[in-house]
Every structure is written in C-alpha cells, then in structure tokens.
Amino acid sequence: MFVYEDTGDTGPLAMAMEVQEPLEIGNEIDLIEDLAEKLSNTLSGKTNPNKEQLQVYIGQLFRDYPTLKTSGLRESISELVVSECEKNGIGFLGKSEVDQLW
C-alpha cells in the first residue's frame, strides 16, 4: 500500500523558488531596443569622444545585458552599435572591435 505524504515542498512554486539564475524581465527585442536607446542617448551630441572611453562605455553597456551576449542577434547588435557611432560622427569603431567588447 502506498501512502501519500504531503511535504509541502513540491509543485511549481517550490520549483520556482529553487531557480538560482537571475531572471531578466522583457523579451529579447525589448532588451535590444533598451540598449539601442541608451547608446543613442549617450552618443548624441558627443563631439570627438575618446576611443578608449567609448569602448569602456560600450563594454559596460553590453555587461548590463548579459543574455544578449549569447543571442542569435548579437551580430546585428554589434552592427547597430557601429551604425549608431557612424550616425553620430564617431566612425572609428569597426564591427570586429565592437565584437571584442562583448
């Protein structure tokens, strides 16, 4: 004979509490749009920024969105960064340089 013993630690709520990884809110497109907006706001109006400072900023921006690093859209995001820099007259970062900042 089987006896069911309710230990109170099963089910979706208990399993959700076991999740150790941080969860990012929003889907991938929302995250990309947020990243693009922050980048655009920072670059607009900048004249002759220091290349090293720009690289540090973009690297930090990428670290703020860790799930995008493994995204299938990562290459497109890097191209967006290069495009945004060129649009703002900051054309000294190439796609390969931006890729290294991830």
Side-chain angles (χ1 to χ4, degrees), residues 59-80:
Q60 181 57 50
L61 188 60
F62 287 162
R63 282 187 289 285
D64 289 344
Y65 299 89
T67 58
L68 295 180
K69 182 176 184 174
T70 58
S71 167
L73 298 172
R74 177 178 161 171
E75 186 174 333
S76 296
I77 297 166
S78 294
E79 289 173 5
L80 170 73

Side-chain angles (χ1 to χ4, degrees), residues 17-70:
M17 294 176 82
E18 292 177 9
V19 174
Q20 299 294 321
E21 297 175 15
L23 300 175
E24 286 197 19
I25 299 172
N27 64 34
E28 200 170 70
I29 299 301
D30 290 338
L31 294 174
I32 293 169
E33 287 175 355
D34 190 49
L35 182 146
E37 183 179 342
K38 285 182 180 179
L39 179 67
S40 178
N41 290 340
T42 299
L43 295 181
S44 64
K46 295 279 185 197
T47 54
N48 300 323
N50 180 306
K51 182 176 181 176
E52 289 78 25
Q53 289 174 338
L54 181 61
Q55 288 174 316
V56 168
Y57 169 74
I58 292 170
Q60 181 57 50
L61 188 60
F62 287 162
R63 282 187 289 285
D64 289 344
Y65 299 89
T67 58
L68 295 180
K69 182 176 184 174
T70 58

